[in-house]
Amino acid sequence: MKFINREAKMTKNKKNESGYDKREKILLEQDTEEDLILNISLRPQKFSDFVGQKKIIENLKISLTAAQKRKEVLEHIFFSGPPGLGKTTLAHIIAHELDAKVTATSGPAIERAGDLIGILTNLGKGDILFIDEIHRLSKVIEEFLYPAMESFQIDFVIDKGPYAKTIKFSLKPFTLIGATTRAGLLTAPMRERFGMFHHLDFYEAEDLVEIIKRSSKILNIFVDEEGALEIARRSRGTPRVANRLLRRVRDYAEVKKDGKITKEIADEALSLQGVDKEGLDNIDRKILKVIIETYKGGPVGIEALSATLNEEKDIISDIVEPFLLKIGMIKRTPRGRVAADKAYAHFNLKGAPKELF
Ligand code: ADP
């Protein structure tokens, strides 16, 4: 994701107040060019290659078949969920299954109405327009998009003041697929224009094992069952992280051993990278420690956390926090984040004072 990569780059190589080096984070690091090429080769092309999220896949298949039978264009689809769970991949799979062309962009990339007009007028019948981070579209662009989504029309305004004229321009019927990590930030009028909503949740270890096996086949890596499970357990329920860790462990296995990935090798390589048994990275541990030590277990608001850690608020709330909430390390209360007993146990500390909950 462009936005995250940019943020990661911005924060690279800085040591902050709380004393951790930002280069030590696997979770937020920027993909290298090689990573980006590999990511494309690892991206599933068809529903049958996409592991997990069974209910969503079943529903999508039904919608696709129904639309094809009726010879209609597929309704607009909205995907939400933490980064790296397969939203972009699904948009590409849908296009592939429908034999349609896909144009991919993102909310912040569409700066002017002209950019959007260019994209929309180039879409053919049944094509897919994928907009990542759709919650970051500007208000002007969003309003421009409403008639395009609703009636496949755009309104141009030419000239200004008393001479202003609106010209309607018809588009070919298309399907918009919007994705966001922050479903709550989507405006109500935008939400109303989508026909289908799907929320992607973190993956179970067994699904990640499948993904790791599939990727290792493509990349020609030997990984045994236990090795795959060890990487899966430490991948924060996220396919993108699983693929990244697999490559890291492969590098270690090639340099230190014979290239084969076993449980032992995976454990050594990941521990060396700072990824612990729960899959927590340096930034996760830092956040937990700041809540426990600096804020005495919490509650602490996101602004205070972000200031103490010198880390973007969005990075904490979109990338780091969802997994900590999911595995019960922190809890959200009306007054802010609180460290749960599990977090204290993780650092071998005595539990949180009970009056916090
Ligand atoms: P998002 O758009 O949600 O941030 P992506 O679709 O870019 O996530 O997925 C990140 C990477 O993880 C992809 O390159 C793909 O290889 C892999 N991936 C995601 N979901 C799956 C899945 N269900 N099965 C196999 N690989 C997956």
Side-chain angles (χ1 to χ4, degrees), residues 1 39-40 42-44 49-53 81-90 130 132 200 203 211 214 239-240 243:
M1 299 209 339
N39 284 348
I40 294 170
L42 294 179
R43 178 171 280 160
D49 298 331
F50 192 87
V51 181
Q53 312 283 353
L85 297 192
K87 300 180 293 297
T88 309
T89 304
L90 279 176
F130 175 65
D132 199 7
L200 279 77
Y203 289 65
I211 292 172
R214 177 180 173 274
R240 180 183 289 137
N243 283 337

Side-chain angles (χ1 to χ4, degrees), residues 310-348:
N310 186 21
E311 190 61 86
E312 297 281 326
K313 234 171 33 187
D314 287 353
I315 288 193
I316 298 178
S317 59
D318 293 2
I319 307 180
V320 188
E321 203 179 62
F323 183 68
L324 295 177
L325 282 164
K326 162 86 182 174
I327 61 168
M329 288 277 179
I330 55 172
K331 292 184 182 174
R332 252 195 203 145
T333 72
R335 288 182 302 143
R337 282 81 178 153
V338 163
D341 279 346
K342 198 173 170 189
Y344 287 82
H346 193 69
F347 297 110
N348 292 322

Side-chain angles (χ1 to χ4, degrees), residues 227-275:
L229 185 60
E230 192 59 27
I231 300 173
R233 281 206 194 108
R234 292 160 86 154
S235 298
R236 311 173 68 89
T238 307
R240 180 183 289 137
V241 176
N243 283 337
R244 185 174 287 172
L245 295 186
L246 173 67
R247 294 199 299 267
R248 287 304 175 80
V249 177
R250 180 218 19 213
D251 290 348
Y252 180 87
E254 278 173 359
V255 174
K256 296 274 179 190
K257 308 272 162 145
D258 56 2
K260 290 185 182 149
I261 299 176
T262 59
K263 180 177 193 302
E264 197 194 0
I265 295 284
D267 180 37
E268 279 174 30
L270 294 176
S271 302
L272 196 70
Q273 298 276 338
V275 177

